[in-house]
Amino acid sequence: MQPIVDTSLWLAHKRRALANPAAGADFLMRRAAEELAERLGAVERKFDRAAVLFCQTPAAVEVLATSGKVADIVRVEADAAFLGDGAGGDAAGLVAPLETVPFEPESLDLAVSLLSLQAMNDIPGMLVQIRRALKPDGLFLGAFAGAGTLSELRECLLAAETEFYGGASPRVIPFTDVRDAGALLQRAGLALAVADVETVTVRYDSLFGLMADLRAMGETSALTDRSRRPGTRKLFARAAEIYAERFSDADGRVRASFPIVWMSGWAPDASQQKPLKPGSAKISLKAILENPGGR
Protein backbone atom coordinates (compact mmCIF):
# COMPACT_ATOMS: atom_id res chain seq x y z
CA MET A 1 0.00 0.00 0.00
CA GLN A 2 1.42 3.35 -1.01
CA PRO A 3 1.68 5.71 1.97
CA ILE A 4 -0.59 8.74 1.93
CA VAL A 5 1.55 10.83 4.28
CA ASP A 6 5.26 11.43 3.85
CA THR A 7 6.08 10.94 7.51
CA SER A 8 9.71 12.00 7.03
CA LEU A 9 8.48 15.34 5.69
CA TRP A 10 5.89 15.60 8.48
CA LEU A 11 8.66 15.15 11.06
CA ALA A 12 10.83 17.72 9.26
CA HIS A 13 7.95 20.21 9.48
CA LYS A 14 7.60 19.45 13.18
CA ARG A 15 11.31 19.96 13.79
CA ARG A 16 11.20 23.27 11.93
CA ALA A 17 8.24 24.39 14.02
CA LEU A 18 10.05 23.38 17.21
CA ALA A 19 13.07 25.46 16.19
CA ASN A 20 10.89 28.49 15.38
CA PRO A 21 8.18 28.65 18.06
CA ALA A 22 5.30 31.09 17.62
CA ALA A 23 3.33 32.31 20.60
CA GLY A 24 -0.16 30.82 20.75
CA ALA A 25 0.25 28.44 17.81
CA ASP A 26 -0.02 25.43 20.14
CA PHE A 27 -3.70 26.17 20.86
CA LEU A 28 -4.91 22.80 19.55
CA MET A 29 -2.47 20.85 21.70
CA ARG A 30 -3.39 22.92 24.75
CA ARG A 31 -7.06 22.26 24.06
CA ALA A 32 -6.40 18.55 23.66
CA ALA A 33 -4.40 18.47 26.90
CA GLU A 34 -7.25 20.15 28.79
CA GLU A 35 -9.71 17.62 27.41
CA LEU A 36 -7.34 14.79 28.29
CA ALA A 37 -7.27 16.02 31.89
CA GLU A 38 -11.07 15.97 32.02
CA ARG A 39 -11.38 12.52 30.51
CA LEU A 40 -8.68 11.06 32.72
CA GLY A 41 -10.31 12.70 35.75
CA ALA A 42 -13.52 10.80 35.00
CA VAL A 43 -11.70 7.45 35.25
CA GLU A 44 -11.89 6.18 38.81
CA ARG A 45 -8.66 4.23 38.98
CA LYS A 46 -4.90 4.65 39.07
CA PHE A 47 -2.29 3.41 36.61
CA ASP A 48 1.13 1.99 37.41
CA ARG A 49 2.77 2.55 34.02
CA ALA A 50 1.75 4.88 31.20
CA ALA A 51 3.17 5.66 27.76
CA VAL A 52 2.69 8.98 25.97
CA LEU A 53 3.07 8.26 22.26
CA PHE A 54 4.40 10.80 19.74
CA CYS A 55 2.68 13.88 21.20
CA GLN A 56 5.59 16.19 20.17
CA THR A 57 5.26 18.39 23.28
CA PRO A 58 5.31 17.68 27.03
CA ALA A 59 1.66 18.73 27.39
CA ALA A 60 0.25 15.20 27.76
CA VAL A 61 3.01 14.16 30.16
CA GLU A 62 2.25 17.18 32.33
CA VAL A 63 -1.43 16.20 32.48
CA LEU A 64 -0.60 12.66 33.56
CA ALA A 65 2.01 13.83 36.06
CA THR A 66 -0.30 16.33 37.76
CA SER A 67 -3.31 13.98 37.79
CA GLY A 68 -1.92 11.96 40.67
CA LYS A 69 -3.20 8.83 38.91
CA VAL A 70 -0.02 7.62 37.18
CA ALA A 71 3.05 6.26 38.95
CA ASP A 72 5.47 5.83 36.05
CA ILE A 73 5.38 7.70 32.70
CA VAL A 74 7.40 7.02 29.55
CA ARG A 75 7.33 9.59 26.77
CA VAL A 76 7.96 8.22 23.27
CA GLU A 77 8.95 10.51 20.39
CA ALA A 78 10.16 9.95 16.84
CA ASP A 79 13.06 12.38 17.26
CA ALA A 80 15.20 13.26 20.27
CA ALA A 81 14.66 16.94 19.44
CA PHE A 82 11.08 16.69 20.72
CA LEU A 83 12.33 15.45 24.08
CA GLY A 84 14.57 18.50 24.52
CA ASP A 85 16.84 18.31 27.55
CA GLY A 86 14.59 15.65 29.04
CA ALA A 87 11.28 13.93 28.51
CA GLY A 88 9.31 16.85 29.89
CA GLY A 89 7.55 16.60 33.22
CA ASP A 90 8.09 13.56 35.41
CA ALA A 91 8.76 11.10 32.59
CA ALA A 92 11.47 8.99 31.04
CA GLY A 93 12.22 9.62 27.36
CA LEU A 94 12.44 7.11 24.54
CA VAL A 95 13.05 7.59 20.79
CA ALA A 96 11.33 5.17 18.41
CA PRO A 97 10.18 5.21 14.77
CA LEU A 98 6.79 6.79 14.17
CA GLU A 99 3.97 4.23 13.98
CA THR A 100 5.65 1.85 16.42
CA VAL A 101 4.83 1.06 20.05
CA PRO A 102 8.16 -0.02 21.55
CA PHE A 103 6.86 -1.92 24.58
CA GLU A 104 6.53 -5.56 25.53
CA PRO A 105 3.06 -7.15 25.33
CA GLU A 106 0.89 -6.44 28.36
CA SER A 107 3.39 -4.00 29.87
CA LEU A 108 1.32 -0.77 30.00
CA ASP A 109 -1.66 0.25 32.09
CA LEU A 110 -2.34 3.41 30.08
CA ALA A 111 -1.44 4.64 26.59
CA VAL A 112 -2.06 8.21 25.40
CA SER A 113 -1.70 9.76 21.94
CA LEU A 114 -2.50 13.39 21.13
CA LEU A 115 -2.64 14.86 17.61
CA SER A 116 -0.34 12.52 15.75
CA LEU A 117 -2.47 9.59 14.56
CA GLN A 118 -3.73 11.65 11.61
CA ALA A 119 -0.19 11.67 10.22
CA MET A 120 0.19 7.88 10.39
CA ASN A 121 -0.32 5.72 7.32
CA ASP A 122 -1.35 2.62 9.24
CA ILE A 123 -3.72 3.74 11.99
CA PRO A 124 -5.25 0.24 12.34
CA GLY A 125 -1.78 -1.23 12.81
CA MET A 126 -0.88 1.42 15.39
CA LEU A 127 -4.04 0.65 17.39
CA VAL A 128 -3.30 -3.07 17.27
CA GLN A 129 0.18 -2.39 18.66
CA ILE A 130 -1.31 -0.26 21.44
CA ARG A 131 -3.82 -2.99 22.26
CA ARG A 132 -0.99 -5.55 22.41
CA ALA A 133 1.08 -3.39 24.75
CA LEU A 134 -1.77 -2.83 27.21
CA LYS A 135 -2.27 -5.08 30.19
CA PRO A 136 -5.74 -6.61 30.61
CA ASP A 137 -8.07 -3.74 31.60
CA GLY A 138 -5.48 -1.20 30.40
CA LEU A 139 -6.80 2.04 28.88
CA PHE A 140 -6.07 3.84 25.63
CA LEU A 141 -6.96 7.53 25.24
CA GLY A 142 -6.26 9.23 21.93
CA ALA A 143 -7.14 12.35 19.97
CA PHE A 144 -6.48 13.22 16.35
CA ALA A 145 -7.61 15.66 13.67
CA GLY A 146 -10.74 14.16 12.11
CA ALA A 147 -12.79 14.44 8.95
CA GLY A 148 -13.70 18.05 8.17
CA THR A 149 -10.44 19.47 9.49
CA LEU A 150 -9.44 22.47 7.35
CA SER A 151 -12.39 21.79 5.03
CA GLU A 152 -12.63 25.50 4.24
CA LEU A 153 -8.96 25.73 3.31
CA ARG A 154 -9.18 22.59 1.18
CA GLU A 155 -12.17 23.95 -0.75
CA CYS A 156 -10.61 27.34 -1.42
CA LEU A 157 -7.24 25.99 -2.53
CA LEU A 158 -8.94 23.55 -4.89
CA ALA A 159 -11.10 26.31 -6.34
CA ALA A 160 -8.17 28.69 -6.84
CA GLU A 161 -5.93 26.04 -8.36
CA THR A 162 -8.70 24.95 -10.73
CA GLU A 163 -9.10 28.56 -11.90
CA PHE A 164 -5.38 28.96 -12.56
CA TYR A 165 -4.44 25.54 -13.93
CA GLY A 166 -7.69 23.87 -14.99
CA GLY A 167 -7.22 21.19 -12.36
CA ALA A 168 -6.03 20.76 -8.80
CA SER A 169 -3.72 18.59 -6.73
CA PRO A 170 -4.51 17.62 -3.12
CA ARG A 171 -2.91 19.93 -0.58
CA VAL A 172 -4.66 18.78 2.64
CA ILE A 173 -4.37 15.21 3.94
CA PRO A 174 -7.52 13.07 4.20
CA PHE A 175 -8.84 12.68 7.74
CA THR A 176 -10.62 9.79 9.46
CA ASP A 177 -14.32 10.05 10.29
CA VAL A 178 -15.51 9.55 13.88
CA ARG A 179 -17.62 6.52 12.85
CA ASP A 180 -14.59 4.89 11.28
CA ALA A 181 -12.58 5.64 14.43
CA GLY A 182 -15.01 3.62 16.54
CA ALA A 183 -14.83 0.72 14.09
CA LEU A 184 -11.01 0.85 14.15
CA LEU A 185 -10.98 0.54 17.95
CA GLN A 186 -13.16 -2.54 17.77
CA ARG A 187 -11.10 -3.99 14.94
CA ALA A 188 -7.98 -3.59 17.09
CA GLY A 189 -9.63 -5.69 19.79
CA LEU A 190 -10.27 -2.91 22.30
CA ALA A 191 -13.34 -3.30 24.49
CA LEU A 192 -15.86 -0.67 25.60
CA ALA A 193 -14.77 1.37 22.58
CA VAL A 194 -16.01 4.95 22.35
CA ALA A 195 -15.31 7.59 19.70
CA ASP A 196 -16.68 11.13 19.73
CA VAL A 197 -15.82 14.42 18.08
CA GLU A 198 -15.42 18.01 19.25
CA THR A 199 -15.08 20.72 16.61
CA VAL A 200 -12.82 23.64 17.44
CA THR A 201 -13.60 26.70 15.29
CA VAL A 202 -10.88 29.35 15.05
CA ARG A 203 -11.20 32.77 13.40
CA TYR A 204 -8.53 34.67 11.50
CA ASP A 205 -8.18 38.00 9.73
CA SER A 206 -7.47 36.07 6.53
CA LEU A 207 -6.29 32.78 5.08
CA PHE A 208 -2.71 33.97 5.61
CA GLY A 209 -3.13 34.03 9.40
CA LEU A 210 -4.32 30.43 9.28
CA MET A 211 -1.41 29.38 7.10
CA ALA A 212 1.04 31.04 9.48
CA ASP A 213 -0.41 29.03 12.37
CA LEU A 214 -0.26 25.79 10.39
CA ARG A 215 3.40 26.44 9.60
CA ALA A 216 4.09 27.19 13.28
CA MET A 217 2.34 23.92 14.24
CA GLY A 218 4.38 21.96 11.69
CA GLU A 219 1.16 20.98 9.93
CA THR A 220 1.73 22.19 6.38
CA SER A 221 1.15 19.64 3.61
CA ALA A 222 3.07 16.38 3.91
CA LEU A 223 1.09 14.40 1.34
CA THR A 224 3.09 11.85 -0.59
CA ASP A 225 1.18 12.84 -3.75
CA ARG A 226 1.34 16.56 -3.04
CA SER A 227 1.73 18.95 -5.91
CA ARG A 228 5.37 19.62 -6.79
CA ARG A 229 4.29 22.86 -8.46
CA PRO A 230 5.29 25.73 -6.14
CA GLY A 231 2.33 27.71 -4.84
CA THR A 232 2.56 31.22 -6.26
CA ARG A 233 1.66 34.45 -4.53
CA LYS A 234 -1.18 34.94 -7.02
CA LEU A 235 -2.58 31.46 -6.28
CA PHE A 236 -2.72 32.05 -2.54
CA ALA A 237 -4.05 35.57 -2.98
CA ARG A 238 -6.92 34.19 -5.06
CA ALA A 239 -7.52 31.42 -2.48
CA ALA A 240 -7.68 34.11 0.22
CA GLU A 241 -10.30 36.00 -1.81
CA ILE A 242 -12.41 32.85 -2.19
CA TYR A 243 -12.00 32.10 1.50
CA ALA A 244 -13.28 35.57 2.42
CA GLU A 245 -16.22 35.21 0.01
CA ARG A 246 -17.34 31.82 1.29
CA PHE A 247 -16.32 31.58 4.95
CA SER A 248 -16.27 35.05 6.51
CA ASP A 249 -18.43 36.31 9.38
CA ALA A 250 -20.16 39.68 9.55
CA ASP A 251 -17.00 41.32 10.89
CA GLY A 252 -14.94 40.09 7.92
CA ARG A 253 -12.94 37.49 9.83
CA VAL A 254 -12.79 33.97 8.38
CA ARG A 255 -13.43 30.62 10.06
CA ALA A 256 -11.27 27.49 10.18
CA SER A 257 -12.64 24.17 11.47
CA PHE A 258 -10.65 21.62 13.47
CA PRO A 259 -12.80 18.59 14.38
CA ILE A 260 -10.90 16.61 17.02
CA VAL A 261 -11.86 12.93 17.23
CA TRP A 262 -11.44 11.34 20.65
CA MET A 263 -11.01 7.61 21.07
CA SER A 264 -11.04 5.46 24.18
CA GLY A 265 -10.90 1.73 24.60
CA TRP A 266 -9.86 -0.88 27.12
CA ALA A 267 -7.84 -4.04 26.71
CA PRO A 268 -10.35 -6.83 27.33
CA ASP A 269 -10.55 -8.25 30.83
CA ALA A 270 -12.94 -10.66 32.53
CA SER A 271 -13.83 -8.02 35.13
CA GLN A 272 -15.36 -5.65 32.53
CA GLN A 273 -19.10 -5.28 32.03
CA LYS A 274 -20.51 -7.38 29.23
CA PRO A 275 -23.73 -6.82 27.26
CA LEU A 276 -26.60 -9.12 28.20
CA LYS A 277 -27.27 -12.09 25.94
CA PRO A 278 -30.26 -11.64 23.62
CA GLY A 279 -33.44 -12.83 25.33
CA SER A 280 -32.00 -12.66 28.87
CA ALA A 281 -33.79 -9.47 29.96
CA LYS A 282 -36.16 -9.82 32.93
CA ILE A 283 -38.74 -7.42 31.50
CA SER A 284 -39.70 -6.63 27.92
CA LEU A 285 -39.39 -3.23 26.27
CA LYS A 286 -43.06 -3.59 25.27
CA ALA A 287 -44.10 -3.86 28.93
CA ILE A 288 -42.09 -0.75 29.85
CA LEU A 289 -43.66 1.30 27.05
CA GLU A 290 -47.18 0.15 27.92
CA ASN A 291 -46.74 0.82 31.66
CA PRO A 292 -44.04 3.52 32.06
CA GLY A 293 -44.90 4.18 35.71
CA GLY A 294 -45.00 0.53 36.69
CA ARG A 295 -42.33 -1.61 38.31
Side-chain angles (χ1 to χ4, degrees):
M1 182 179 68
Q2 182 177 348
I4 296 173
V5 180
D6 183 341
T7 51
S8 295
L9 181 60
W10 184 78
L11 286 170
H13 290 169
K14 291 292 182 179
R15 286 191 291 268
R16 182 181 64 191
L18 180 68
N20 300 279
D26 62 343
F27 64 89
L28 282 180
M29 182 60 75
R30 285 187 282 108
R31 180 69 169 264
E34 290 169 2
E35 182 67 20
L36 173 65
E38 290 188 17
R39 291 173 184 255
L40 188 61
V43 179
E44 295 182 355
R45 61 167 289 184
K46 293 190 175 182
F47 304 91
D48 289 334
R49 191 180 190 215
V52 174
L53 303 169
F54 307 111
C55 295
Q56 312 136 50
T57 82
V61 167
E62 291 165 1
V63 168
L64 268 56
T66 58
S67 71
K69 293 188 172 186
V70 184
D72 179 38
I73 308 169
V74 181
R75 181 179 170 196
V76 182
E77 296 291 357
D79 192 304
F82 301 129
L83 296 172
D85 295 331
D90 300 323
L94 183 64
V95 176
L98 194 69
E99 302 196 37
T100 63
V101 180
F103 297 96
E104 294 295 320
E106 298 188 4
S107 61
L108 299 175
D109 300 284
L110 172 66
V112 171
S113 173
L114 297 185
L115 303 185
S116 63
L117 282 170
Q118 75 275 357
M120 298 187 185
N121 289 294
D122 187 9
I123 298 176
M126 185 67 179
L127 293 176
V128 167
Q129 292 181 71
I130 290 171
R131 155 69 182 88
R132 189 180 298 127
L134 288 172
K135 297 177 184 178
D137 207 31
L139 173 63
F140 166 63
L141 287 172
F144 63 90
T149 295
L150 299 174
S151 57
E152 304 91 348
L153 178 63
R154 182 199 305 266
E155 179 179 326
C156 296
L157 286 173
L158 287 173
E161 204 161 16
T162 299
E163 281 187 20
F164 275 79
Y165 307 117
S169 301
R171 291 183 179 270
V172 179
I173 65 172
F175 296 99
T176 302
D177 183 85
V178 63
R179 291 168 295 184
D180 294 332
L184 288 174
L185 289 169
Q186 294 176 334
R187 177 179 168 183
L190 289 160
L192 307 175
V194 176
D196 59 271
V197 62
E198 176 201 21
T199 298
V200 179
T201 302
V202 186
R203 301 202 314 144
Y204 293 92
D205 289 336
S206 72
L207 171 147
F208 297 106
L210 168 61
M211 292 182 66
D213 264 1
L214 292 175
R215 185 178 179 86
M217 292 178 194
E219 290 291 352
T220 48
S221 179
L223 281 166
T224 300
D225 289 335
R226 66 193 178 277
S227 173
R228 266 47 177 190
R229 180 193 296 129
T232 65
R233 185 176 302 178
K234 286 184 178 181
L235 173 68
F236 288 112
R238 178 56 183 143
E241 290 175 354
I242 297 170
Y243 209 127
E245 292 166 3
R246 299 184 184 183
F247 300 108
S248 63
D249 292 328
D251 61 0
R253 290 168 65 81
V254 298
R255 304 179 300 277
S257 300
F258 296 91
I260 305 300
V261 174
W262 278 91
M263 312 168 77
S264 68
W266 297 80
D269 184 73
S271 66
Q272 293 166 352
Q273 292 181 342
K274 304 275 190 312
L276 293 175
K277 294 181 180 179
S280 64
K282 303 299 184 183
I283 186 171
S284 70
L285 176 61
K286 181 175 182 290
I288 294 172
L289 295 175
E290 290 177 349
N291 186 21
R295 292 180 178 273

